[in-house]
Amino acid sequence: AQTLERSSVNVTGTAEVLVVPDQAEVSMTVRTLDLNLQTARSKNDELVRQVFRIATDLKVDPSDVQTDIISVQPEYSDEGDSPRPPKFLGYAMSKRIVIVVRDIKVLELLIPEILRAGVNRLDGIELQSSRMRQHSDEARAMAVRSAREKAAAMARELGQTIGKAIHISETQSQIPYGFTANSTRFDGQASTSDAVSTTLALGKIRVTARIQIVFELQ
């Protein structure tokens, strides 16, 4: 509080760096339904093995393929306002699989293959960069320069100059844009033509930095 009582100028510098993604994290749900619990489990296990085989064939490291959510629950028909009781449809077995694709070109091959294998829900694709720290540092440095130039210009109009920085703070966000998939469901052996051509319109990652600096006025 004491430093802010000095003659000072408070400015905010912003900067943006557009980054071409070089890897992605793909999350999907494998769901099977059967009147017999063991059969539902067996079908699900086999489908999960197929996804793992596809990833292996595409040279994805086994450590980059993980299952992280497993659920099983009875499923009933929705009879609405009908007086009839809901009909038992079977046991729904679901497993969530997350695959980290470290070669972005593999993504174009992976998505059609897993859909043809029977994956019925694509939960999301997060575009990433393996050099995010470098890009974040670049954006931060640009934002600091922007803040300094802004402060110097404001001080010049007052016939003054800026001195040392007496306060600095940062908020930073990185926002993927281009393709975003969120809980996209496919029924059975879905056609991959339209869905995949849309999903693979890869964009860029916008890395932004916002720096607030208080400079002394001289």
Side-chain angles (χ1 to χ4, degrees), residues 26-43:
V26 184
S27 57
M28 68 201 76
T29 298
V30 173
R31 183 179 182 276
T32 52
L33 179 70
D34 199 275
L35 292 171
N36 182 279
L37 177 58
Q38 185 56 47
T39 303
R41 184 188 301 274
S42 298
K43 289 180 178 178

Side-chain angles (χ1 to χ4, degrees), residues 31-35 37 40 71-77 87-93:
R31 183 179 182 276
T32 52
L33 179 70
D34 199 275
L35 292 171
L37 177 58
S71 68
V72 58
Q73 59 185 13
E75 189 165 299
Y76 296 87
S77 63
K87 179 183 177 182
F88 176 64
L89 300 177
Y91 294 97
M93 174 75 68

Side-chain angles (χ1 to χ4, degrees), residues 166-180:
I166 55 179
H167 177 78
I168 184 169
S169 61
E170 174 199 23
T171 59
Q172 180 176 317
S173 62
Q174 50 203 46
I175 307 171
Y177 75 100
F179 164 62
T180 300

Side-chain angles (χ1 to χ4, degrees), residues 11-17 136-152 162 165 167-172 208-215:
V11 293
T12 298
T14 59
E16 177 181 284
V17 177
S136 296
D137 289 346
E138 179 185 355
R140 186 180 300 111
M142 291 169 60
V144 169
R145 289 195 294 270
S146 173
R148 184 177 182 85
E149 291 169 0
K150 186 184 298 184
I162 58 171
H167 177 78
I168 184 169
S169 61
E170 174 199 23
T171 59
Q172 180 176 317
T208 61
R210 182 181 176 88
I211 307 291
Q212 184 178 27
I213 306 178
V214 179
F215 292 98

Side-chain angles (χ1 to χ4, degrees), residues 23-26 28 50-66 97-111 113-114:
Q23 63 183 44
E25 183 176 284
V26 184
M28 68 201 76
Q50 287 188 50
V51 172
F52 273 69
R53 282 195 292 269
I54 291 169
T56 299
D57 291 344
L58 293 175
K59 312 301 181 186
V60 176
D61 193 294
S63 65
D64 288 331
V65 185
Q66 302 291 330
I97 304 174
V98 178
I99 301 177
V100 177
V101 179
R102 301 193 183 277
D103 180 354
I104 203 72
K105 294 190 295 293
V106 170
L107 194 59
E108 299 183 25
L109 305 174
L110 176 69
I111 301 302
E113 287 298 320
I114 62 174

